[in-house]
């Protein structure tokens, strides 16, 4: 069964304190790993897609990396506006149905 | 370009009442999905569609029905609402390499 596990469930950082969020997955034949950001009361918004081990993508203070078993979302010098829930997801069984992790709620204090 | 639009945004139902949630997308996407999001449970797939006139069950389909009569619209129906269906419902459509584009959600409370 395809599974996605995110850790930690919640993370509190001080502004400027860098850290990483983890997404581990078990899926046969990975066809992409997706990262989304979700703000309270809104739908998830696309951040990154990673396809192969060793791949990295960056956007502002965020960098996503991928290995054969997990992905990391690195947050460098975060600001309060980075506070959100971050979700990762993988396609289930080679389909276009995404299986989501439960998310990491990030809070960045000024 | 509105993307994915969900209506209504909020709704309160009494147990046993019925309602339909509407999802409309203007991106000409073939694939559309309905998820529910509950605290501690994450996003769970209810039903999905791979094209006009098609529907299929997801992970938690019981108590829901769907229809995709037009490519741009995907409707989610609750025939007899139960308190266990209190949730936030998200519609999404699939865009290659970007995964899903989500709507802003419908917050449903069943009392």
């Amino acid at each position: 069964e395809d599974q996605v596990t995110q850790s930690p469930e919640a993370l509190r950082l001080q502004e400027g304190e860098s850290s990483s969020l983890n997404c581990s997955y078990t899926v046969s034949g990975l066809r992409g790993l997706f990262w989304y950001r979700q703000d309270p009361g809104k739908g998830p918004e696309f951040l990154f897609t990673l396809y192969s081990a060793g791949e990295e993508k960056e956007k502002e203070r965020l960098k996503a990396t991928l290995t054969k078993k997990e992905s990391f979302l690195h947050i460098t010098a975060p600001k309060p506006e980075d506070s959100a829930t971050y979700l990762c997801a993988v396609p289930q069984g080679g389909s276009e149905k995404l299986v989501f992790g439960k998310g990491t709620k990030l809070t960045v204090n000024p | 370009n509105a993307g994915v639009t969900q209506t209504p945004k909020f709704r309160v139902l009494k147990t046993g009442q019925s309602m339909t949630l509407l999802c409309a997308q203007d991106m000409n996407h073939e694939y559309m999905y309905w998820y529910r999001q509950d605290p501690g449970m994450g996003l769970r797939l209810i039903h999905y569609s791979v094209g006009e006139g098609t529907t299929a069950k997801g992970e938690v389909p019981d108590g829901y029905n769907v229809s995709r009569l037009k490519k741009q619209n995907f409707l989610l129906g609750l025939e007899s609402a139960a308190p266990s269906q209190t949730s936030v419902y998200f519609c999404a459509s699939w865009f290659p390499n970007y995964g899903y584009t989500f709507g802003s959600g419908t917050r449903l409370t069943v009392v």
Side-chain angles (χ1 to χ4, degrees):
Chain A
E1 179 181 336
D2 298 337
Q3 286 191 326
V4 179
T5 303
Q6 291 187 246
S7 62
E9 291 184 11
L11 181 63
R12 286 186 174 272
L13 300 174
Q14 289 299 122
E15 185 171 2
E17 179 186 1
S18 301
S19 188
S20 297
L21 313 182
N22 177 264
C23 172
S24 62
Y25 61 90
T26 54
V27 63
S28 56
L30 182 68
R31 291 175 62 235
L33 184 140
F34 299 82
W35 281 98
Y36 292 86
R37 170 189 169 128
Q38 186 175 23
D39 293 302
K42 296 188 177 181
E45 290 187 354
F46 171 80
L47 290 173
F48 305 108
T49 310
L50 302 167
Y51 287 102
S52 57
E55 188 175 0
E56 299 182 353
K57 288 191 177 176
E58 292 188 58
K59 180 180 180 179
E60 295 181 355
R61 295 175 292 282
L62 300 177
K63 183 169 77 173
T65 62
L66 182 65
T67 72
K68 289 186 177 180
K69 293 184 178 182
E70 56 192 352
S71 177
F72 293 93
L73 186 64
H74 307 277
I75 302 175
T76 302
K79 297 182 177 181
E81 52 262 42
D82 295 321
S83 297
T85 295
Y86 292 86
L87 303 170
C88 71
V90 298
Q92 180 182 25
S95 72
E96 280 74 27
K97 296 181 293 181
L98 291 182
V99 176
F100 285 85
K102 294 181 181 180
T104 294
K105 183 177 181 180
L106 174 66
T107 303
V108 182
N109 296 313
Chain B
N1 186 348
V4 177
T5 303
Q6 290 184 234
T7 54
K9 295 189 183 302
F10 302 94
R11 185 73 185 267
V12 178
L13 285 180
K14 293 183 179 179
T15 298
Q17 286 185 321
S18 63
M19 77 164 294
T20 300
L21 283 67
L22 172 63
C23 176
Q25 54 100 358
D26 59 3
M27 299 171 287
N28 203 35
H29 291 172
E30 292 290 343
Y31 291 55
M32 297 185 74
Y33 309 82
W34 277 107
Y35 281 82
R36 60 179 289 173
Q37 187 174 41
D38 303 289
M41 301 295 292
L43 284 159
R44 292 180 292 169
L45 182 64
I46 306 171
H47 285 282
Y48 65 101
S49 169
V50 299
E52 181 178 310
T54 75
T55 63
K57 294 180 180 180
E59 179 186 356
V60 288
D62 294 342
Y64 305 95
N65 57 75
V66 288
S67 64
R68 183 96 181 269
L69 299 179
K70 294 183 178 181
K71 186 177 183 179
Q72 63 268 34
N73 296 335
F74 194 28
L75 279 63
L76 178 70
L78 286 74
E79 292 187 344
S80 179
S84 60
Q85 294 177 304
T86 293
S87 187
V88 180
Y89 292 85
F90 288 102
C91 176
S93 65
W94 173 270
F95 188 73
N97 298 324
Y98 288 87
Y100 293 165
T101 298
F102 284 90
S104 58
T106 296
R107 185 173 296 274
L108 175 67
T109 302
V110 183
V111 297

